Amino acid sequence: MKNSVLVFATNNKHKADEIRQVLGEGFEIKTLRDAGILIDIPEPHATLKENAREKSSVIKKLTGKDCFSEDTGLEVFALNGAPGVKSARYAGDEANAEQNIKKLLADMVGMDNRTAQFRTVISFMRGEQEYQFEGICKGQVTLAEKGVGGFGYDPVFIPEGADKTFGEMTMAEKAMFSHRKKATEQFISFLKNEAWQG
Ligand code: ITT
């Protein structure tokens, strides 16, 4: 079967690796770097849905090609949904994952309710039409970091039904619970149903 080539409007290699693993054979994913597009797309909006749309529509306009993006946030119940849409910049505009985790754990000191969820919104631009797919993974924020796998907030998040953090899991183990996998599966069904030819 011919591979469908999809441009993924992201600069995050971890996301691309996780989505490639779920998509499997039949689809080839090109990140912005793979496609030779060296830009950092702004995420100015107040919701994951709007930011995901921003990323896919900017790249659609730039390339003229159908493409997809995703925006993901960690939503902590006791923090009224924060870091949420600001997950990448929680500790400041230039913050790295370590600094974001430090701020999150500091903000949650003394909190008994550590319920949280990752939410991923995929935005697919095909022609003039946008389609969105969402995946949620519920779980708990730990008291301290555990594990060095994954990326972002993975070392401080235990998904429901697991006894270790995403940071202690292999990529395949994370996929058994993952928000990103759930959103990607819906996206795959859509692509297969629509028999998209790329
Ligand atoms: P893009 O180029 O796709 O925008 P990004 O890293 O800026 O890549 P987001 O805007 O979606 O991605 O930012 C979400 C932040 O949440 C990001 O800093 C990650 O560290 C974190 N994050 C996203 N998915 C995650 C996951 O599966 N596990 C842990 N942390 C995650």
Side-chain angles (χ1 to χ4, degrees):
M1 187 174 93
K2 179 167 98 54
N3 268 8
S4 294
V5 179
L6 290 167
V7 174
F8 181 13
T10 187
N11 286 309
N12 185 322
K13 188 182 169 308
H14 298 282
K15 285 184 178 181
D17 288 344
E18 289 186 9
I19 287 186
R20 278 191 186 108
Q21 188 196 43
V22 181
L23 281 174
E25 287 177 13
F27 298 95
E28 185 186 336
I29 297 296
K30 285 192 173 188
T31 62
L32 292 180
R33 176 188 275 264
D34 299 332
I37 303 166
L38 303 178
I39 60 168
D40 202 17
I41 310 165
E43 297 174 17
H45 302 292
T47 64
L48 298 174
K49 289 184 175 191
E50 289 169 293
N51 280 337
R53 184 177 307 127
E54 178 86 18
K55 291 189 257 193
S56 60
S57 57
V58 164
I59 297 306
K60 167 84 191 180
K61 273 191 203 123
L62 200 70
T63 62
K65 294 205 172 106
D66 297 346
C67 65
F68 75 100
S69 74
E70 66 108 291
D71 207 37
T72 295
L74 175 65
E75 301 169 337
V76 178
F77 185 77
L79 296 176
N80 297 316
V85 72
K86 295 209 172 117
S87 291
R89 294 155 278 137
Y90 193 45
D93 281 349
E94 303 302 323
N96 59 29
E98 195 52 46
Q99 292 164 327
N100 286 333
I101 286 177
K102 269 212 171 79
K103 174 165 167 53
L104 178 68
L105 294 181
D107 288 353
M108 292 184 73
V109 165
M111 287 183 177
D112 291 334
N113 182 355
R114 307 193 67 90
T115 305
Q117 62 185 27
F118 275 112
R119 184 196 301 269
T120 291
V121 176
I122 291 178
S123 163
F124 178 45
M125 291 291 302
R126 191 181 59 183
E128 296 306 308
Q129 187 75 35
E130 191 218 13
Y131 304 88
Q132 293 201 336
F133 311 93
E134 186 175 274
I136 287 176
C137 173
K138 292 183 189 296
Q140 298 284 319
V141 175
T142 53
L143 293 168
E145 289 180 58
K146 273 195 173 167
V148 292
F151 69 102
Y153 297 91
D154 280 346
V156 291
F157 184 84
I158 300 181
E160 238 171 54
D163 56 5
K164 56 185 178 182
T165 68
F166 273 158
E168 296 174 286
M169 296 183 187
T170 62
M171 197 161 67
E173 284 174 324
K174 178 178 173 183
M176 288 164 58
F177 305 93
S178 155
H179 40 294
R180 183 163 294 105
K181 179 178 183 194
K182 289 174 188 156
T184 306
E185 279 175 342
Q186 290 180 44
F187 183 30
I188 296 171
S189 308
F190 173 87
L191 292 173
K192 290 193 171 155
N193 283 342
E194 299 285 308
W196 185 70
Q197 292 303 307

